[in-house]
Amino acid sequence: MKMPNYLRKRKGTLELKINKRWIKWNPFHSKLSAYLLGGGEYWPFNKNSKILYLGAAEGNTLSFLSEICTNNTIAAVEISEIAMAELLELVEKKKNIIPYLGDAHFPNKYHIQANKPEIIYQDIAQNDQIDIFLRNCNYFNPKYAFLMLKTQSISKKKTGIIEYTENKLKEKFQIVESINIKKWAKGHTAYYME
């Protein structure tokens, strides 16, 4: 992948250009940054991207995406009230984030906020994270999608979870890229789909 002019790899980390300054995008705090540093080949984000972010937490990765996707909105779904309280501080600074406190199991409840996203990004550490991801992809039918899979959170399939996940993703998407990001996020694999 050719890096867009607002991103660069430097000294083992990723940097994002914001207002003519280069800001470090720490792969230990952002699995999306780890995806690129791990050799990810795809980057669908641009200033007009409309994103549904599932598992927004306190908003580290979300903050960087809001600087990239400046001309559209990012619907940020988070189930934790504590994380949402911190996320709301970010929302006050970034005007293109629409927060939603709720459960990602139910896409019909936040479809107005999501407003037909072209990209779904999910980082949820739940036992049924694959099902949540596929449910949202089937509901919204995005052009592109990212899944940050945390295998340690899936208790029912201790072995073969990567093969299971890839088979399920290939049923829905034509392109499925898998990047091992365990160097930065223990027990995680990053998936890109379209």
Side-chain angles (χ1 to χ4, degrees), residues 32-191:
L32 187 56
S33 173
Y35 161 80
L36 284 176
L37 289 174
E41 289 292 320
Y42 299 93
W43 190 255
F45 302 103
N46 62 59
K47 64 182 180 179
N48 297 311
S49 296
K50 190 184 305 179
I51 304 166
L52 171 60
Y53 195 121
L54 304 172
E58 295 85 13
N60 189 305
T61 299
L62 185 61
S63 176
F64 284 92
L65 286 175
S66 74
E67 293 291 339
I68 295 167
C69 309
T70 53
N71 293 353
N72 223 320
T73 58
I74 305 170
V77 177
E78 178 53 50
I79 196 168
S80 165
E81 292 179 12
I82 295 168
M84 181 58 76
E86 290 186 42
L87 182 61
L88 289 176
E89 292 179 23
L90 176 67
V91 169
E92 288 180 19
K93 299 173 192 167
K94 313 277 187 181
K95 301 302 179 189
N96 58 342
I97 300 171
I98 302 168
Y100 180 85
L101 177 63
D103 192 334
H105 283 93
F106 308 106
N108 60 312
K109 293 190 175 181
Y110 46 83
H111 74 276
I112 292 172
Q113 290 84 355
N115 191 22
K116 300 178 183 173
E118 68 170 333
I119 302 171
I120 289 181
Y121 181 93
Q122 180 178 303
D123 185 1
I124 294 176
Q126 288 182 229
N127 187 42
D128 62 342
Q129 60 193 277
I130 300 162
D131 295 333
I132 294 169
F133 178 74
L134 291 171
R135 183 178 300 132
N136 277 273
C137 287
N138 287 331
Y139 188 90
F140 292 108
N141 199 29
K143 188 171 182 181
Y144 313 102
F146 284 88
L147 170 64
M148 301 302 156
L149 180 74
K150 185 175 184 182
T151 55
Q152 295 164 321
S153 297
I154 302 173
S155 60
K156 64 183 174 186
K157 292 191 178 289
K158 291 291 184 192
T159 58
I161 191 60
I162 298 296
E163 294 80 10
Y164 171 81
T165 301
E166 290 179 9
N167 288 336
K168 294 298 282 182
L169 296 176
K170 287 175 182 174
E171 290 175 11
K172 170 78 179 161
F173 297 97
Q174 292 183 337
I175 296 173
V176 176
E177 178 192 41
S178 170
I179 300 293
N180 182 334
I181 59 170
K182 293 174 187 170
K183 176 179 176 181
W184 301 280
K186 185 179 178 183
H188 280 81
T189 302
Y191 289 95

Side-chain angles (χ1 to χ4, degrees), residues 3-18 21-27 33 36-37 64 68:
M3 286 276 188
N5 61 1
Y6 56 81
L7 285 176
R8 72 180 180 189
K9 292 181 184 178
R10 189 170 181 192
K11 297 180 182 176
T13 192
L14 193 66
E15 293 183 342
L16 173 69
K17 192 173 189 180
I18 302 173
R21 290 182 52 229
W22 290 98
I23 308 296
K24 286 185 180 178
W25 192 353
N26 191 333
S33 173
L36 284 176
L37 289 174
F64 284 92
I68 295 167

